Amino acid sequence: MIKASDFGKHFLWGVATAAAQIEGTSDYYGKGPSIWDAFSHKVGKIKKGHKPNVACDFYHRFREDIAMVKLLGFRIFRFSIAWSRILPFGEGTINPEGIRFYHNVIDECLEQGITPYVTLYHWDLPQQLEEKGGWTSFSINRAFNDFVHICAKAYGDKVKHWMVINEPFGFTSLGYMLGLHAPGKTGLGNFFSAAHHTALAQAEGGKILRAEISNPTIGTTFSCSEILPYTQSDNDILVSKRVDCLMNRLFIEPTLGLGFPSENWEVLEKFQIEYGTWRHTERYKFDFDFIGLQNYFPLTVKYNAFIPVIQAWEVKAKSRKKPHTAMGWEINADGFYNIIKQFSSYPNIKNIIITENGAAYPDKLIDGHVHDVDRIEYFKLYLAALLKAKNEGMPITGYMAWTLMDNFEWAEGFTARFGLVYNDFKTQERTIKDSGYWWQAFLKS
Ligand code: BGC
């Protein structure tokens, strides 16, 4: 049986969260609205019309929740700062109440012996900035840089571990190309311009943190999925490479100084012409101390001429009769191992931390217990794959489980439960699931 000690004494174990998914108090204590507050008011955008304005009420319950992180045995708590809590309009006036709140969260972590890992941007753009074009506008970079300066100055003496951006591909594709997430924009033009500004923000944010904080450890996080062609036909292989370009390579390669990938595909070539200049390539580059990888599932794709632009169609796990989670995501730890290997093969990646990994299941609270056996099995499989990768010399130094407690799962509202702790959203009562207890025992092992 796999043990935490197999990963070595210095391996970092943590649990991850994000502000908009847990904090609540969306429009209290001086906070301005974020794009998720606005998006959740549009009809039909979020399952069951759920809204993030109370979420897990972490704003009032953070002390108990951090105590739970400790009880489960994690040494790291990853959380994000809500930009519009610090700057209600995204820029200009600072909200002292917001500054104070994160001081309290950080102090609580430190008092309980938990190391805070702070994400600067986990998808909750201030709505006022979105009204000026959001990530598609060039003015976003100045606003983001100011926000990073403010956070570095306020917390840099206490917080030494930072992540600049959470999954740039995740929010630029879902929010600016497909319109499924906030702010609900669509089209390639929006996507590429958002991608360009995000890649800049990521590097510039890293530079600011390094200049302002003494001895920081600076990372950023990327979503990643192994992409498999459905058959070995030329067309399936062709589209699997396109999807790989978009989902896996689009943001890591500019960060590493390689510029945006082109891969012989006219869509990306157009993007290259606009943003692939030497000047941009230099500005996208930053030597992060660690790269955060976030993986949940591999993706199988098939050529389909009727799908615009990418001509790829996902062949779902269910239709291939493969095991999957409540999100329909394939459970396949080989995919986890393979994608870590793919990222490890870039020449200049020094250090990888898995900053998210986990699974949603339709948990039921019965007589005060949640027997989430499937989630335990998922973690066992994925951790075994991680250990294999580490033992083969891939530079993996940490792992963070997604997520501490059931929360606001973006467009899924409260219908998808990913937590190690069950949350009753009516009473805010927390119940540690069997998977939480499994982690507790595992981390002692
Ligand atoms: C995001 C999380 C999200 C999780 C599960 C990641 O892409 O960073 O915020 O809850 O996936 O969907």
Side-chain angles (χ1 to χ4, degrees), residues 130-192:
E130 183 51 41
E131 280 157 25
K132 296 178 187 159
W135 286 102
T136 65
S137 157
F138 78 94
S139 62
I140 194 76
N141 287 103
R142 187 183 30 78
F144 183 69
N145 290 351
D146 288 350
F147 168 59
V148 179
H149 271 290
I150 293 166
C151 293
K153 279 221 153 45
Y155 310 120
D157 287 345
K158 301 178 190 172
V159 175
K160 296 297 172 189
H161 303 89
W162 295 83
M163 282 143 292
V164 180
I165 289 190
N166 183 72
E167 295 191 0
F169 179 73
F171 77 88
T172 53
S173 63
L174 293 167
Y176 286 88
M177 176 164 59
L178 301 173
L180 298 172
H181 274 196
K185 284 187 171 154
T186 51
L188 269 190
N190 282 327
F191 171 63
F192 282 138

Side-chain angles (χ1 to χ4, degrees), residues 117-419:
Y117 271 61
V118 174
T119 315
L120 284 163
Y121 185 74
H122 200 129
W123 302 3
D124 45 355
L125 187 72
Q127 175 62 16
Q128 298 271 339
L129 293 180
E130 183 51 41
E131 280 157 25
K132 296 178 187 159
W135 286 102
T136 65
S137 157
F138 78 94
S139 62
I140 194 76
N141 287 103
R142 187 183 30 78
F144 183 69
N145 290 351
D146 288 350
F147 168 59
V148 179
H149 271 290
I150 293 166
C151 293
K153 279 221 153 45
Y155 310 120
D157 287 345
K158 301 178 190 172
V159 175
K160 296 297 172 189
H161 303 89
W162 295 83
M163 282 143 292
V164 180
I165 289 190
N166 183 72
E167 295 191 0
F169 179 73
F171 77 88
T172 53
S173 63
L174 293 167
Y176 286 88
M177 176 164 59
L178 301 173
L180 298 172
H181 274 196
K185 284 187 171 154
T186 51
L188 269 190
N190 282 327
F191 171 63
F192 282 138
S193 133
H196 160 69
H197 296 116
T198 304
L200 283 181
Q202 191 161 255
E204 286 172 358
K207 287 174 198 160
I208 294 168
L209 294 174
R210 192 160 286 155
E212 302 254 330
I213 299 175
S214 69
N215 295 320
T217 304
I218 307 165
T220 196
T221 80
F222 300 103
S223 51
C224 57
S225 280
E226 185 189 18
I227 310 297
L228 298 157
Y230 184 55
T231 69
Q232 289 305 309
S233 73
D234 289 351
N235 275 344
D236 283 1
I237 291 176
L238 174 85
V239 295
S240 73
K241 287 193 176 148
R242 286 180 182 172
V243 178
D244 183 48
C245 248
L246 283 183
M247 290 186 68
N248 296 318
R249 300 175 49 199
L250 192 68
F251 287 95
I252 182 80
E253 295 193 4
T255 304
L256 296 176
L258 305 169
F260 283 115
S262 62
E263 189 61 40
N264 200 11
W265 177 22
E266 64 284 7
V267 173
L268 277 179
E269 273 156 16
K270 271 196 215 141
F271 184 45
Q272 277 283 1
I273 292 167
E274 204 165 340
Y275 301 113
T277 61
W278 174 83
R279 200 169 59 86
H280 282 141
T281 303
E282 278 303 300
R283 287 180 66 198
Y284 295 141
K285 198 163 84 182
F286 183 69
D287 59 327
F288 283 100
D289 300 308
F290 71 92
I291 293 299
L293 292 188
Q294 320 206 140
N295 174 262
Y296 290 86
F297 54 87
L299 214 64
T300 297
V301 296
K302 185 176 170 26
Y303 175 78
N304 183 328
F306 296 107
I307 308 289
V309 187
I310 190 143
Q311 296 178 308
W313 178 255
E314 183 196 350
V315 191
K316 301 264 189 202
K318 193 173 171 194
S319 70
R320 288 180 289 114
K321 304 203 171 24
K322 298 284 180 195
H324 53 274
T325 67
M327 300 288 280
W329 297 347
E330 182 174 341
I331 303 164
N332 181 338
D334 289 342
F336 186 39
Y337 167 87
N338 290 336
I339 197 67
I340 298 174
K341 193 167 179 177
Q342 181 174 327
F343 273 73
S344 300
S345 68
Y346 286 112
N348 35 0
I349 292 196
K350 312 174 215 167
N351 178 1
I352 292 176
I353 298 180
I354 306 303
T355 38
E356 277 185 33
N357 170 244
Y361 286 103
D363 301 317
K364 292 271 171 295
L365 178 67
I366 299 166
D367 299 333
H369 297 281
V370 179
H371 299 304
D372 54 339
V373 195
D374 292 341
R375 185 175 287 106
I376 297 174
E377 286 312 308
Y378 178 98
F379 281 125
K380 282 185 187 165
L381 278 175
Y382 277 65
L383 288 173
L386 184 68
L387 183 60
K388 178 173 167 218
K390 186 178 183 313
N391 287 344
E392 286 175 12
M394 297 180 216
I396 306 151
T397 55
Y399 174 96
M400 302 184 198
W402 184 263
T403 181
L404 177 62
M405 57 198 156
D406 300 334
N407 59 29
F408 176 73
E409 174 54 33
W410 310 116
E412 303 296 312
F414 300 104
T415 64
R417 293 182 178 271
F418 275 89

Side-chain angles (χ1 to χ4, degrees), residues 81-127:
I81 295 183
W83 186 343
S84 66
R85 198 179 285 292
I86 301 291
L87 293 152
F89 309 106
E91 51 196 344
T93 317
I94 296 180
N95 171 29
E97 190 81 22
I99 296 275
R100 201 159 33 238
F101 171 64
Y102 294 106
H103 269 302
N104 291 342
V105 173
I106 294 161
D107 291 346
E108 189 65 26
C109 286
L110 297 175
E111 268 163 40
Q112 298 210 32
I114 304 285
T115 308
Y117 271 61
V118 174
T119 315
L120 284 163
Y121 185 74
H122 200 129
W123 302 3
D124 45 355
L125 187 72
Q127 175 62 16

